[in-house]
Amino acid sequence: MSLKKEFPLFQRVMLELNSNCNRDCDFCPRKRDRSGNRKDKNGKPIIKKLPTSKVIDIFNQLEKLGFKGRITFHHLSEAFLDKRLIKFAKEARKRGMVPYINTNGDILKKNKTLRKQAVKYFDSILIGLYDYKTTRERDKEIKFWRKELKGAKVGFSCIEKRFPRHGITKLLLYPKKKMEAISKKVCGEPIKRLIIHYDGNVAFCCEDMKNEFNLGNISNKSIKDIWFSKKHMKMVKDLQKKGGKKLYPLCSNCPMDADNTQVDFFRSIGPN
């Protein structure tokens, strides 16, 4: 049997609609970006959107591939800044996909109508809680969201659980020996998600913020051709071997401890 036939399809899709975020969090790589990807050389935010026609084309491709899994509409952006968000969530649901969303909640908190739409069209909503100074303040926020988003599965991403991502010195997080130990482990993250950035570039994983792996762009390649490309399949297979992370500089410096994300390369994975 060929490698392509045995290679599993992604279980989730992260389709980033826009490039911007209304926050500038220290733990997020966009804060220090000056590459023209998220910010220009002067630190000014890049404001761009994935064209509606391209989003619909992606939906069509996913449907043709038989994808019926979970789909979200952000990566390093705030999805509710895009007024097309609910429309696309409805479209995804109509095609048998399961929309979910991560948000800092700022826009959602001010718009009751939008909150009702979010409950209706998203299977689950994860709220980032980053402003509280005490557990009492945190618990008050949690109580508010559970009440206002009643009917949806609501989760919370708390500031004490955040860690620096790509582009931020990892030694602030782990000592050298810890990073060395992590680099020797296998990684199953890239096989879990199809990540498409606002500019059409397909990221290898969540750490591939600047398209360093150069997998391809949906403007000139199909999702099928990118996902089942020899390059992509080889990289995933490399990372299933102990020490495989050392083959790729971005992977060798990744702080993610993959103990709970290891998967058999030749086994399809169910949703989390």
Side-chain angles (χ1 to χ4, degrees), residues 57-100:
D57 178 58
I58 290 169
F59 283 156
N60 290 337
Q61 291 187 56
L62 292 173
E63 193 169 32
K64 190 174 181 179
L65 286 169
F67 177 74
K68 299 291 184 181
R70 292 167 63 77
I71 184 169
T72 193
F73 302 97
H74 85 290
H75 192 209
L76 288 179
S77 57
E78 170 51 51
F80 282 100
L81 286 174
D82 195 316
K83 294 183 179 180
R84 304 171 298 169
L85 177 60
I86 298 299
K87 171 187 173 181
F88 289 142
K90 290 167 64 176
E91 183 67 24
R93 187 176 286 276
K94 185 174 73 174
R95 294 169 185 253
M97 302 175 209
V98 183
Y100 71 100

Side-chain angles (χ1 to χ4, degrees), residues 218-235:
I218 55 164
S219 64
N220 50 39
K221 288 184 180 180
S222 70
I223 291 172
K224 182 178 180 180
D225 286 344
I226 293 173
W227 186 259
F228 294 109
S229 67
K230 290 182 179 179
K231 179 179 181 178
H232 180 237
M233 291 191 291
K234 181 182 183 302
M235 290 194 297

Side-chain angles (χ1 to χ4, degrees), residues 55-238:
V55 176
I56 298 301
D57 178 58
I58 290 169
F59 283 156
N60 290 337
Q61 291 187 56
L62 292 173
E63 193 169 32
K64 190 174 181 179
L65 286 169
F67 177 74
K68 299 291 184 181
R70 292 167 63 77
I71 184 169
T72 193
F73 302 97
H74 85 290
H75 192 209
L76 288 179
S77 57
E78 170 51 51
F80 282 100
L81 286 174
D82 195 316
K83 294 183 179 180
R84 304 171 298 169
L85 177 60
I86 298 299
K87 171 187 173 181
F88 289 142
K90 290 167 64 176
E91 183 67 24
R93 187 176 286 276
K94 185 174 73 174
R95 294 169 185 253
M97 302 175 209
V98 183
Y100 71 100
I101 201 68
N102 292 35
T103 175
N104 58 41
D106 293 347
I107 296 168
L108 205 56
K109 181 176 282 190
K110 300 174 183 178
N111 191 324
K112 188 172 183 178
T113 299
L114 193 58
R115 293 198 294 273
K116 289 182 178 180
Q117 291 175 324
V119 169
K120 184 176 181 179
Y121 294 109
F122 290 109
D123 175 70
S124 58
I125 304 170
L126 183 70
I127 305 291
L129 301 181
Y130 307 140
D131 298 329
Y132 59 88
K133 296 180 180 179
T134 66
T135 55
R136 178 176 291 184
E137 289 178 354
R138 181 198 64 193
D139 292 346
K140 183 178 179 181
E141 282 288 296
I142 290 174
K143 184 178 180 180
F144 167 83
W145 286 114
R146 282 181 173 161
K147 177 183 177 182
E148 294 297 318
L149 298 176
K150 187 176 181 180
K153 300 172 188 174
V154 183
F156 303 95
S157 176
C158 299
I159 190 64
E160 63 265 24
K161 296 182 180 180
R162 299 296 86 202
F163 62 86
R165 302 304 299 267
H166 175 57
I168 304 174
T169 303
K170 301 305 188 296
L171 291 179
L172 294 175
L173 179 67
Y174 291 140
K176 188 175 181 179
K177 286 186 178 180
K178 176 68 173 177
M179 285 299 297
E180 177 67 19
I182 291 175
S183 71
K184 293 179 180 178
K185 295 183 179 181
V186 304
C187 181
E189 287 299 308
I191 203 66
K192 291 183 176 182
R193 308 175 188 87
L194 170 69
I195 304 173
I196 303 175
H197 286 159
Y198 73 90
D199 55 7
N201 283 318
V202 175
F204 184 53
C205 65
C206 280
E207 288 289 289
D208 189 16
M209 310 297 190
K210 300 178 183 178
N211 191 36
E212 294 176 57
F213 285 101
N214 196 26
L215 279 183
N217 191 292
I218 55 164
S219 64
N220 50 39
K221 288 184 180 180
S222 70
I223 291 172
K224 182 178 180 180
D225 286 344
I226 293 173
W227 186 259
F228 294 109
S229 67
K230 290 182 179 179
K231 179 179 181 178
H232 180 237
M233 291 191 291
K234 181 182 183 302
M235 290 194 297
V236 170
K237 188 174 182 180
D238 285 343

Side-chain angles (χ1 to χ4, degrees), residues 24-81:
D24 209 24
C25 301
D26 284 332
F27 56 78
C28 180
R30 68 177 299 124
K31 184 177 181 68
R32 294 164 180 80
D33 181 53
R34 297 295 184 273
S35 67
N37 190 359
R38 304 290 165 172
K39 294 181 181 180
D40 64 21
K41 62 181 180 180
N42 298 314
K44 184 178 179 180
I46 301 297
I47 311 294
K48 290 184 179 180
K49 292 182 179 180
L50 189 63
T52 296
S53 60
K54 182 51 65 176
V55 176
I56 298 301
D57 178 58
I58 290 169
F59 283 156
N60 290 337
Q61 291 187 56
L62 292 173
E63 193 169 32
K64 190 174 181 179
L65 286 169
F67 177 74
K68 299 291 184 181
R70 292 167 63 77
I71 184 169
T72 193
F73 302 97
H74 85 290
H75 192 209
L76 288 179
S77 57
E78 170 51 51
F80 282 100
L81 286 174

